[in-house]
Amino acid sequence: MEVLVLGSGGREHAICYSLSKSSKVTKIHCLPGNAGISEIAVTENISVMDKDGVLAYLKKNPKIELTIVAPDDPLADGMVDFLEENGYKAFGPRKNAAIIEASKAFSKWLMKKYNIPTADYEEFTDYEEAKKYIDNAKYPLVVKADGLALGKGVIICNNIEEGEKAIYEMMVESKFSLAGKKVIVEEFLVGKEVSVLCFTDGKTIVPMVSSQDHKRVFDNDEGLNTGGMGTFSPSRIYTEDMQKDVYDNIIIPTIRAMEKEGRLFKGVLYFGLMLTDNGVKVLEYNARFGDPETQVVLPKMKNDFVDVCLATIDGTLDKINFEWDNEPMVCVIVASGGYPVKYEKGKEITIDKLEDGVLVFHAGTAFKDGKLVTNGGRVLGVTASGKTMKDAQAKAYRNVEKIHFEGMHYRKDIGNKYYD
Ligand code: AMP
Ligand code: GLY
């Protein structure tokens, strides 16, 4: 069968890579894709938000039997509903379920109603009320824009001045446009973060191998937040006992809560967890595969990815016997100079011969005049596995050094947290 993937990042490259390993897939399509993806899939410059463009593409390519909608924006905008209404099979939650990521007010309300452990919070739509609260609160605290804000709508405030600035920017200056009209002010949690991605057909929910992201731009978690500078999998701190506790008290209650609310969730549900001294709490839900978590999680799945996607859509996940490769895996993101603030595109990239088994997932790359060039902030994700996490790290970093472009930067400590 032929499969279409919507998206253009490292996550989508990893998804296309898994599809390329499927015995059932004869051809992969990806809109709009990137340079790396175009080596294993047919790509065309159609936006993931362009519903009519995607529909026209499907009509032009009638052998496509499955569309995987990977990014948050088209999910929140109802791309899956639209494709289904037009008679196509699509992987991902419908709009009324994607809200679990698209509205933090909704997800906090859901967790409160169903006793799912998370940080205490208040919700505001009125600036004066928010200001009154901010002026009398204990610090640090966290201010979050309600809607999708490209991962930038979360501000950790250490004092009143920072708190006032955050709500002013969101509620008065509309820095995140509609996403900031409503804000959540949340208790600051201390602990270690783990990402748990799950396949779910709305009834059965199957956690994948755990992973840990590195959101800050510089080593030792310094500097600004980014889309993610690297990941490793599995997490060592996410023990078997903890996995059971999280499954019983967070994962199952969430999926049942969505069903009870008439918002059956099908696709990948991502649990961003904080391991605090008072137990594991949910930091956030994502209605999709994580990026760059997918790069270290999906290659570990031994099952045919297409079977899993179809079972997720058809409600038969309980029939699949999942198998995972447990070898440690590390993904180091190589970024453009200046990312996440200001960076230039169009720098020529050269890649020397890589060691066997190394996967380079492309994110912001393009071909220009036959040359591979940078085309975004996060450029490549160098992914390697090994017998131990140290082996995986060493292999990933040996191969990062084979990549060259002007201004490139990367964290040197991805994977060190495994030993914390
Ligand atoms: P989110 O988009 O909600 O995951 O937030 C982005 C990042 O901000 C998280 O990965 C955490 O590192 C941090 N963060 C979010 N909420 C909290 C919180 N309540 N306490 C501490 N850190 C937080
Ligand atoms: N790695 C975090 C995310 O995908 O949102």
Side-chain angles (χ1 to χ4, degrees):
M1 73 193 281
E2 296 189 14
V3 181
L4 170 63
V5 178
L6 300 187
S8 60
R11 164 184 57 202
E12 287 76 11
H13 196 181
I15 288 173
C16 289
Y17 172 75
S18 280
L19 289 171
S20 75
K21 299 272 163 211
S22 163
S23 59
K24 303 194 166 79
V25 175
T26 51
K27 191 170 177 184
I28 307 167
H29 304 252
C30 186
L31 305 177
N34 60 36
I37 292 174
S38 74
E39 286 174 349
I40 53 173
V42 179
T43 59
E44 198 174 310
N45 195 14
I46 294 173
S47 159
V48 296
M49 299 304 285
D50 180 0
K51 289 183 177 148
D52 292 333
V54 172
L55 183 60
Y57 190 87
L58 286 167
K59 286 193 169 145
K60 229 172 44 193
N61 293 278
K63 288 194 184 141
I64 298 175
E65 290 177 50
L66 167 69
T67 300
I68 299 174
V69 184
D72 49 2
D73 281 325
L75 290 168
D77 192 45
M79 179 63 90
V80 169
D81 312 50
F82 174 78
L83 294 177
E84 286 179 350
E85 282 155 20
N86 282 282
Y88 292 96
K89 237 178 213 224
F91 179 92
R94 292 184 186 151
K95 183 175 181 166
N96 77 346
I99 191 175
I100 198 166
E101 172 175 7
S103 168
K104 292 200 190 287
F106 172 81
S107 66
K108 295 300 288 189
W109 169 85
L110 188 84
M111 287 187 267
K112 197 170 190 175
K113 179 167 174 186
Y114 291 92
N115 282 318
I116 297 165
T118 187
D120 287 339
Y121 78 106
E122 297 288 334
E123 175 187 321
F124 298 97
T125 41
D126 180 75
Y127 170 69
E128 291 303 329
E129 273 182 36
K131 186 164 182 305
K132 209 190 291 167
Y133 183 84
I134 282 283
D135 286 346
N136 294 293
K138 272 208 251 145
Y139 287 82
L141 53 69
V142 187
V143 176
K144 299 187 174 185
D146 175 46
L148 296 175
L150 295 170
K152 299 197 178 75
V154 174
I155 302 181
I156 293 169
C157 307
N158 293 302
N159 50 48
I160 292 190
E161 289 72 40
E162 289 177 11
E164 285 188 346
K165 182 164 175 268
I167 57 163
Y168 190 81
E169 283 179 355
M170 284 187 197
M171 303 183 84
V172 180
E173 291 182 334
S174 300
K175 196 168 167 189
F176 303 108
S177 62
L178 276 183
K181 285 275 174 245
K182 196 184 272 180
V183 299
I184 300 294
V185 181
E186 194 173 275
E187 169 199 10
F188 178 76
L189 297 178
V190 178
K192 292 179 178 144
E193 285 182 48
V194 175
S195 306
V196 180
L197 285 58
C198 303
F199 288 108
T200 177
D201 58 12
K203 305 263 182 204
T204 301
I205 184 155
V206 182
M208 302 179 215
V209 183
S210 60
S211 56
Q212 286 182 233
D213 193 5
H214 297 68
K215 291 216 163 84
R216 302 295 194 100
V217 66
F218 298 127
D219 287 15
N220 303 315
D221 290 338
E222 286 175 15
L224 293 172
N225 258 327
T226 69
M229 292 299 287
T231 39
F232 63 85
S233 171
S235 164
R236 203 169 59 104
I237 50 175
Y238 191 59
T239 58
E240 273 185 29
D241 284 351
M242 204 180 281
Q243 288 171 36
K244 189 176 174 337
D245 169 53
V246 167
Y247 187 76
D248 292 342
N249 297 308
I250 292 178
I251 294 179
I252 287 287
T254 300
I255 209 70
R256 298 283 176 264
M258 289 298 278
E259 189 183 2
K260 272 206 192 108
E261 294 297 325
R263 298 174 183 273
L264 197 77
F265 190 104
K266 288 184 178 203
V268 170
L269 184 52
Y270 164 136
F271 295 79
L273 303 174
M274 182 78 100
L275 280 41
T276 76
D277 287 345
N278 298 320
V280 181
K281 299 194 179 186
V282 177
L283 275 180
E284 62 160 348
Y285 294 113
N286 291 324
R288 52 172 174 82
F289 280 107
D291 189 345
E293 283 90 342
T294 305
Q295 290 87 316
V296 288
V297 170
L298 203 52
K300 298 167 93 106
M301 190 173 77
K302 291 187 183 166
N303 305 69
D304 191 306
F305 185 39
V306 165
D307 289 343
V308 174
C309 291
L310 294 177
T312 300
I313 296 170
D314 296 341
T316 54
L317 265 184
D318 58 334
K319 305 275 186 302
I320 295 205
N321 186 16
F322 277 84
E323 281 185 84
W324 300 93
D325 176 354
N326 267 319
E327 261 206 355
M329 200 160 190
V330 171
C331 172
V332 178
I333 298 294
V334 181
S336 293
Y339 173 78
V341 186
K342 215 175 129 199
Y343 54 86
E344 288 175 24
K345 296 182 183 177
K347 305 286 180 199
E348 186 177 349
I349 306 168
T350 58
I351 306 181
D352 302 339
K353 190 173 169 4
L354 302 169
E355 288 173 46
D356 283 349
V358 174
L359 299 169
V360 176
F361 293 121
H362 288 224
T365 65
F367 284 119
K368 198 173 160 201
D369 304 327
K371 286 183 179 154
L372 181 65
V373 297
T374 64
N375 194 38
R378 291 189 294 171
V379 178
L380 300 165
V382 180
T383 310
S385 51
K387 285 219 167 357
T388 65
M389 193 58 81
K390 281 210 160 40
D391 292 344
Q393 274 183 298
K395 187 166 179 182
Y397 279 111
R398 277 198 307 274
N399 287 278
V400 165
E401 282 169 18
K402 300 184 184 214
I403 291 171
H404 313 275
F405 60 87
E406 192 191 313
M408 73 177 239
H409 76 94
Y410 55 90
R411 276 180 63 156
K412 314 272 188 308
D413 64 345
I414 305 298
N416 287 359
K417 268 188 206 181
Y418 179 80
Y419 300 98
D420 282 358

